[in-house]
Amino acid sequence: MKRDLTMDDLVIAGIAVAAGLLAAFLLRMLMRWLGKHADRTRWSGDDLIVDVLRNVVPWAAFLGGAASAGAALPLTRTVQHHVNQTLTVLLIFMVTLAVARGIAGLMRTVTQSRPGVAGSATIFVNITRILVLSIGFLVVLQTLGISIAPMLTALGVGGLAVALALQDTLANLFAGIHILASKTVQPGDYIRLSSGEEGYVEDINWRQTTVRNLSNNLVVIPNGQLAKTNMTNFMRPEQELTILMQVGVSYDSDLEHVERVTNEVIAEVMTEVEGALPDHEPIIRFHTFGDSRIGFTVILGVGEFSDQYRIKHEFIKRLHKRYQREGIRIPAPTRTVAIQQGSVAIPQQRGREQHGAEHEPGDIPSARLD
């Protein structure tokens, strides 16, 4: 039975609200102190935990004080129920946002901690955030007394129609999930597609993969197309790779001398050029008696795909200069074109056909070029 509101009730309610505010302030200060200590540790998990608690604990203390104030007041059962329900919904809302933020931060930390990853894989971050927010929304509906079973049934039936209408979008979504789950491509990798696109993977989201090529332009590739095409990943299984340089010297060259000089140039480039591998063992393999030269392959080690252009540039310059100094000749390719004489009729001019003119001096009656 409802009684009249007294001054004692207001005082008790005010004390409860003030206690909640004081507790929220003290807990906020405690969370800030814990955050400073968490920043000093090498483990990033404690930072995420403190960040989640910082957004939940003070609000929980304040809402607890408000609930105590509501319980101290002489409210009717219906009003009391609505007050408690509202405070519960607010608490669920704050917890849902904090958990979604924390899990998204955890996913972002995991993706960034992978070797060679330049950016976060937002597809996992966004999907995780949406799932947590959806669960929180369903819990709120259940708290308000709204049955979610018919809603889930309607979503299941409507989801089929939506899936049929969004086949390409869903194909891109699941293709992106498959790409990341199979670990064939990760943000930060340098890839080349069979269609010609190549560059560093900037991000993989729910619909597309963004690639930044060497000219610093962004290429947007749908995930479905990326999953279907043939692709070369130059960062996996290792970031370091080898490049092949084709060289040729004249037949009168001393191959032992050529090999020794080339090895010295390789060692110089591997030591002095940025991006090269100083521990790379020089490798030279003679392989061809060509038309005008003896061909061989030089194998160079580079630390990362884009480093090869600088290393090739320096290697060609230094090798050419050293060959000139050592008297090693790199012959230019020669081609022999045979011209055979034969007979082929050259049509006469129409004017001569009309007058029956004979060949005049300087005319070429017949010739053939093969």
Side-chain angles (χ1 to χ4, degrees):
M1 181 176 180
K2 181 180 180 299
R3 58 183 178 83
D4 295 334
L5 180 66
T6 64
M7 183 60 65
D8 292 338
D9 296 331
L10 293 177
V11 171
I12 294 174
I15 292 174
V17 173
L21 289 174
L22 179 61
F25 175 76
L26 294 177
L27 289 173
R28 183 73 176 180
M29 298 299 295
L30 177 61
M31 292 297 105
R32 185 175 300 177
W33 179 79
L34 291 176
K36 292 180 180 179
H37 284 272
D39 292 336
R40 300 173 184 173
T41 63
R42 300 179 59 182
W43 184 48
S44 60
D46 52 0
D47 298 326
L48 294 175
I49 295 174
V50 172
D51 185 61
V52 172
L53 294 178
R54 183 184 300 166
N55 294 295
V56 173
V57 174
W59 279 101
F62 171 72
L63 294 176
S68 300
L73 295 175
L75 304 176
T76 62
R77 180 177 300 178
T78 303
V79 174
Q80 186 69 43
H81 174 72
H82 288 314
V83 170
N84 293 335
Q85 200 174 52
T86 302
L87 295 177
T88 303
V89 169
L90 289 176
L91 181 60
I92 294 174
F93 178 72
M94 296 304 302
V95 171
T96 301
L97 289 181
V99 172
R101 180 178 177 181
I103 295 180
L106 177 63
M107 297 295 297
R108 189 176 293 107
T109 301
V110 171
T111 55
Q112 289 178 345
S113 64
R114 297 181 60 86
V117 173
S120 62
T122 57
I123 181 173
F124 284 151
V125 175
N126 293 334
I127 290 177
T128 303
R129 184 184 291 115
I130 292 174
L131 286 177
V132 174
L133 293 177
S134 300
I135 294 174
F137 177 71
L138 294 177
V139 173
V140 168
L141 293 180
Q142 192 70 27
T143 303
L144 295 176
I146 302 174
S147 178
I148 62 175
M151 182 179 298
L152 294 177
T153 303
L155 289 176
V157 175
L160 180 61
V162 173
L164 293 176
L166 301 177
Q167 294 185 30
D168 293 338
T169 301
L170 293 177
N172 290 326
L173 172 62
F174 289 108
I177 296 175
H178 171 72
I179 290 171
L180 289 176
S182 62
K183 299 181 181 180
T184 55
V185 179
Q186 294 290 328
D189 292 350
Y190 192 96
I191 63 173
R192 176 185 294 162
L193 305 184
S194 58
S195 55
E197 296 88 352
E198 62 178 273
Y200 291 96
V201 178
E202 288 286 309
D203 193 16
I204 304 175
N205 58 30
W206 63 274
R207 180 183 179 275
Q208 62 203 18
T209 298
T210 305
V211 176
R212 177 175 55 85
N213 56 29
L214 295 180
S215 60
N216 209 29
N217 296 321
L218 294 180
V219 180
V220 178
I221 306 171
N223 292 331
Q225 178 182 345
L226 183 64
K228 294 178 182 178
T229 187
N230 296 329
M231 176 185 60
T232 303
N233 191 335
F234 293 95
M235 297 292 190
R236 300 184 184 277
E238 295 180 357
Q239 183 173 344
E240 298 177 354
L241 67 152
T242 56
I243 56 176
L244 307 181
M245 298 289 295
Q246 304 299 328
V247 188
V249 294
S250 61
Y251 276 91
D252 57 359
S253 301
D254 182 356
L255 298 186
E256 295 292 339
H257 179 58
V258 170
E259 185 175 9
R260 182 175 63 256
V261 170
T262 307
N263 279 328
E264 293 175 358
V265 174
I266 296 174
E268 178 183 338
V269 171
M270 292 294 100
T271 304
E272 299 178 3
V273 179
E274 181 183 359
L277 301 179
D279 298 333
H280 174 74
E281 180 182 358
I283 300 178
I284 299 175
R285 294 294 181 265
F286 293 95
H287 55 73
T288 304
F289 287 103
D291 294 337
S292 59
R293 64 179 66 190
I294 298 178
F296 62 94
T297 300
V298 177
I299 303 178
L300 305 174
V302 298
E304 195 264 336
F305 182 83
S306 61
D307 295 332
Q308 63 174 305
Y309 302 105
R310 178 172 54 256
I311 295 173
K312 287 180 179 180
H313 171 76
E314 290 294 330
F315 175 73
I316 292 175
K317 287 199 309 181
R318 300 188 185 198
L319 186 66
H320 182 262
K321 183 177 181 180
R322 185 66 184 277
Y323 276 7
Q324 286 183 332
R325 187 190 311 165
E326 299 290 338
I328 301 174
R329 190 166 60 88
I330 303 177
T334 58
R335 295 291 183 267
T336 301
V337 180
I339 300 179
Q340 298 180 353
Q341 293 185 352
S343 59
V344 61
I346 297 179
Q348 295 178 344
Q349 297 181 1
R350 182 174 301 176
R352 293 183 181 178
E353 291 176 352
Q354 293 175 353
H355 296 84
E358 298 293 335
H359 292 294
E360 297 179 359
D363 289 342
I364 301 177
S366 62
R368 188 181 68 184
L369 297 180
D370 293 336

